[in-house]
Structures are given as structure tokens and as C-alpha cells.
Amino acid sequence: PRIVDFKNVSKVYHPGTRNEFTSIRDISFHIEDTPDVGEFIGILGPSGCGKSTVLRLIAGLAPHFPATTGEVLVHGQPVEGPGPDRGFVFQDYANFPHRTVLENVGFGLECAHVPDKERIERANEWIAKVGLDPKKDGGKYPHQLSGGMNQRVAIARTLIMHPRIILMDEPFGALDPGTRQNMQDLLVKLWRELEATVFFVTHDVSEAVYLGDRVFIFSPSPGTIVHQLAVMPPDR
Ligand code: ADP
Ligand code: ADP
């Protein structure tokens, strides 16, 4: 069984007008579902080549969703919109500014009507899992946190829902090198624990090769996969 399947997928904006613009062209690939830990896919390419487009087609998120031509299948079914089986992590964290860390991390459970006591317990567990202190940090607001701490909150907020597919759009692009290394190691640990499949967009070659089992290398715009690199995983 395939967890993600792209069949000749293209995205064209403003077709038939003088602003017509092809963002990705004829992308095909597939990722097998595995009984244990899923594959970690790095997506590498220059700015504007369509990396976010590919992630958002899997996530079912506008403005890149839906594709213009071709098929995007998740678990063999056409993607029809966002769903809890796919979690997204943005470069700019996208935490809710008027919610505390605890309320941000518990947001998905709140939407799922999980009772207060269980929600708070599970949210505190995830706050700790991403290296924050439930007592000291749980009541803080996003503007009181560093970039690295905000991205930890965002990762907890997404992974607490146990998505089978984790979609990450340059999640560490705004962090300093030391923080970045810590976050990479945290991500590897959580990915193994959740046994999820990860798509990780970056324009940093060493990050893609360090993290990815396989790296898709995109051409400049209009993006297409020009090379798939199987990486011998380092001793992470
Ligand atoms: P990347 O993530 O590799 O930087 P994107 O997937 O964000 O690339 O974008 C691919 C291309 O599509 C870019 O050149 C961008 O300018 C273009 N694009 C993105 N959204 C739109 C849109 N709504 N209308 C027209 N062009 C767009
Ligand atoms: P890039 O500059 O590489 O395209 P960005 O981080 O600017 O990457 O954004 C990638 C895509 O994610 C864009 O289409 C943008 O609209 C979307 N995006 C960024 N932040 C958010 C957010 N907080 N909520 C929803 N969508 C977002």
C-alpha cells in the first residue's frame, strides 16, 4: 500500500491569461506505507520551485490545493481537503497569539471535545516532550517565547494529534544554527516514536541530507523532481 502517490501532478495559476504561471510540472512519485517507522523525505530546491506547493497538495491546503492536472492520493484516496491524518508545521510557527502555550498545544484536543482533565494532562505531556517546562512555560504567550520555543510549541500542537503524515515547510529556517541542530535531533526522536512519514522542505543541502532517508531534488521553477537521492542514514 502507498501512503502518498503523485501521478503526473501539475499546478498552473491563472491558466489561459497572460499571467499564466506553472508552479510545478508533471511530478510523479510514491511513498510506501510501512508497518513501522515511515520514510523521512527531504525536499530540496531553490526558492519558488514549488516545494510548498507539493506539501500543500498533500495537506489539502489552499492556495496551492487543488492540483490543476494529475492525481494526488493519500492512502489510495484523492485528497479532498485537510484531515487529521496529515499535520502541518509552518516556518513562522503559526501559534495562536492570544492563547497560552498550554492552550495552543491542547487546541486540537479541544476541537475534538476531549474532556478538560485529559486534554490538560496530554498537553502537558507534549509540552515536556518537546523540551519545554509545563509549569514555567505552560502559561506563557507566544510573544514571550524565542523562535525555537515557538517552534517547539508548534510541533507539539501538531504531533499531539498523532498524524500519520507530518508536513514541514522550512520549519527551522528562521532559527540560529545551534537551536536548529537541537530541533533536528528532537524531530528525529519524535518521528521515530510516532512512526510517521515525514515530508521536510528545506533549501539547506546539509539539513536535507542529514535528516532525509531519501531526498527529492527539485529543478528551479517550474519545479519538477530532477533527482531522487537515497541517503545512507548517519548515526543520528
Ligand atoms: P517554494 O516553496 O519552493 O518556495 P512555492 O510552492 O511556494 O515554492 O511556489 C512555487 C511558485 O508558485 C512560486 O514561484 C510562487 O511565486 C508561485 N505561486 C505561489 N502561489 C501563487 C498564487 N496564488 N498565484 C500565482 N503564483 C503563485
Ligand atoms: P516560502 O517563503 O518558502 O514560500 P512561507 O513560510 O512564506 O514559505 O509560506 C509557505 C506557504 O505557507 C505560503 O503559501 C503561506 O501562505 C503559507 N503559510 C505561512 N504561514 C501560514 C500560517 N500561519 N497559516 C496558514 N498558512 C501559512
Side-chain angles (χ1 to χ4, degrees), residues 38-135:
E39 225 181 326
F40 198 121
I41 307 292
I43 299 183
L44 184 64
S47 194
C49 71
K51 305 184 295 298
S52 305
T53 303
V54 167
L55 287 196
R56 285 176 161 256
L57 288 173
I58 301 170
L61 293 178
H64 306 78
F65 176 81
T68 309
T69 56
E71 270 192 299
V72 178
L73 307 176
V74 170
H75 282 120
Q77 302 297 316
V79 173
E80 279 169 359
D85 57 325
R86 287 152 288 144
F88 210 105
V89 176
F90 301 94
Q91 179 173 6
D92 65 358
Y93 329 125
N95 291 320
F96 299 104
H98 302 299
R99 288 176 159 257
T100 62
V101 168
L102 181 68
E103 289 165 349
N104 266 286
V105 174
F107 180 73
L109 298 177
E110 194 180 317
C111 293
H113 306 291
V114 171
D116 291 2
K117 183 167 176 284
E118 183 189 341
R119 184 187 74 237
I120 292 167
E121 254 172 44
R122 282 170 63 186
N124 279 331
E125 242 168 69
W126 271 92
I127 290 170
K129 255 186 205 296
V130 296
L132 299 175
D133 183 338
K135 282 214 175 71

